[in-house]
Every structure is written in structure tokens, then in C-alpha cells.
């Protein structure tokens, strides 16, 4: 299996884990709070991400990534009532993604697939979606940090801990591995 495929799978797993770790820090009502009518709640962002995943990754290699059954505008209207519903839909989207990318081979990477009739190599399509999801996961984390405030548990290197973190890393032998292997 190519190094690219292994790396991209780990990157997707990483962004899913950031969302998962964020959700564990939130109270039920945090999922539905939004600062004003023009901004989205975490529930809405999850609905959009998962809706996109279901559209893009269902029959990924054989159908256009923008399915006729997808209603993108509805993704920005809350239909969830509970935190559990939000998380279940989040997981449904990620399960669809991993089901699509796990069987890919290096040979598949140059195949052409379509999103809204625009041709992409599989590599380009994967990169497009990886960037899209990381953008929204970052929004979710940022909004959660605002709500949780001082009780927030850092998902990366906590403020003021960079030197200790680096000291630990440099105290170990050099090795080649994905940065998420130590998380």
C-alpha cells in the first residue's frame, strides 16, 4: 500500500478523533448553541460534514460525488434533538468515508472521479475532502473551546508546555512514523 494512502487514512482518523475528543468535553446544549443567526452550531457543522461525506463517498468510484438525493441547504437547518443524534450522524459520515477509502490501492489514485461533473483524480478528490473536513473540524474545536472556556482540555500541546513536549520528543531515537502514532 502506498505511503500516501496510509498517511491520508491516518489524517482522516486524526480529524475524526479531534471531533470525538471535543464532543466528550461538551454538555448537551453546547451542540446546539450558536453565537448568532448567521453562524452555525456544532450540530449544524456536523450535519454538513456528515452530509458531505455521505454524498462524496457513497459509490465514490462510480457515481458523481454530488448525489441527487443530497439537499445541501437542509444541512444548515437543525433537525437534531439530542447530542446522541448528532454523534450518531457524525459516525455515519465517517463510516461511509472509511468504507470507501480503506479498499483503495495505489492503482486507484489516478482514476478519474467526478464531483458536480468536475473531474478529479482520486488523489485530488481525497485531498479536497481532507482539507474541507479539517476546516470544519477546526471550526467545531474553536467553538467548543469558547463554550467550555477554562475547563477545556487541550487536544494538542497545551499552552506553556511546548518546551517539555519538545524535550520529550528529542529525548527519543529518530524514527519514521506518522505524527498521530503517539497521540
Amino acid at each position: 500500500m502506498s505511503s500516501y494512502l496510509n498517511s491520508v487514512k491516518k489524517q482522516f482518523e486524526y480529524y475524526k478523533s479531534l471531533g470525538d475528543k471535543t464532543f466528550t468535553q461538551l454538555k448537551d446544549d453546547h451542540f446546539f448553541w450558536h453565537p448568532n443567526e448567521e453562524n452555525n452550531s456544532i450540530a449544524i457543522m456536523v450535519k454538513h460534514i456528515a452530509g458531505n461525506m455521505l454524498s462524496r463517498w457513497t459509490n465514490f468510484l462510480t457515481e458523481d460525488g454530488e448525489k441527487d438525493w443530497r439537499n445541501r441547504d437542509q444541512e444548515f437547518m437543525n433537525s437534531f434533538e439530542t447530542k446522541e443524534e448528532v454523534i450518531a450522524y457524525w459516525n455515519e459520515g465517517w463510516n461511509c468515508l472509511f468504507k470507501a477509502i480503506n479498499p483503495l490501492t495505489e492503482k486507484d489514485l489516478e482514476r478519474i472521479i467526478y464531483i458536480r461533473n468536475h473531474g478529479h483524480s482520486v488523489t485530488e478528490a481525497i485531498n479536497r475532502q481532507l482539507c474541507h473536513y479539517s476546516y470544519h473540524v477546526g471550526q467545531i474545536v474553536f467553538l467548543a473551546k469558547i463554550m467550555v472556556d477554562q475547563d477545556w482540555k487541550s487536544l494538542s500541546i497545551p499552552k506553556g508546555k511546548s518546551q517539555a513536549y519538545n524535550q520529550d520528543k528529542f529525548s527519543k531515537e529518530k524514527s519514521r512514523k506518522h505524527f498521530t502514532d503517539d497521540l
Side-chain angles (χ1 to χ4, degrees), residues 30-60:
H30 287 152
F31 281 83
F32 303 100
W33 180 84
H34 50 95
N36 57 50
E37 291 305 313
E38 291 301 312
N39 287 291
N40 298 313
S41 66
I42 288 174
I44 293 295
M45 287 186 262
V46 166
K47 189 175 180 185
H48 170 60
I49 293 169
N52 178 281
M53 288 175 172
L54 293 169
S55 183
R56 294 293 185 265
W57 300 103
T58 298
N59 302 319
F60 169 63

Side-chain angles (χ1 to χ4, degrees), residues 139-171:
Q139 291 174 319
I140 289 169
V141 171
F142 183 72
L143 194 56
K145 284 178 72 171
I146 290 170
M147 289 185 283
V148 174
D149 198 21
Q150 294 175 340
D151 293 330
W152 179 256
K153 292 172 191 69
S154 178
L155 304 179
S156 62
I157 305 167
K159 283 184 180 181
K161 303 290 183 182
S162 296
Q163 188 174 2
Y165 182 84
N166 285 342
Q167 189 174 14
D168 175 62
K169 292 296 180 187
F170 285 112
S171 72

Side-chain angles (χ1 to χ4, degrees), residues 2 10 32 37 41 50 56 61 90 110 117 134 136-138:
S2 92
K10 286 189 175 275
F32 303 100
E37 291 305 313
S41 66
R56 294 293 185 265
L61 296 174
W90 166 262
E110 291 304 314
N117 266 355
S134 65
H136 287 306
V137 169

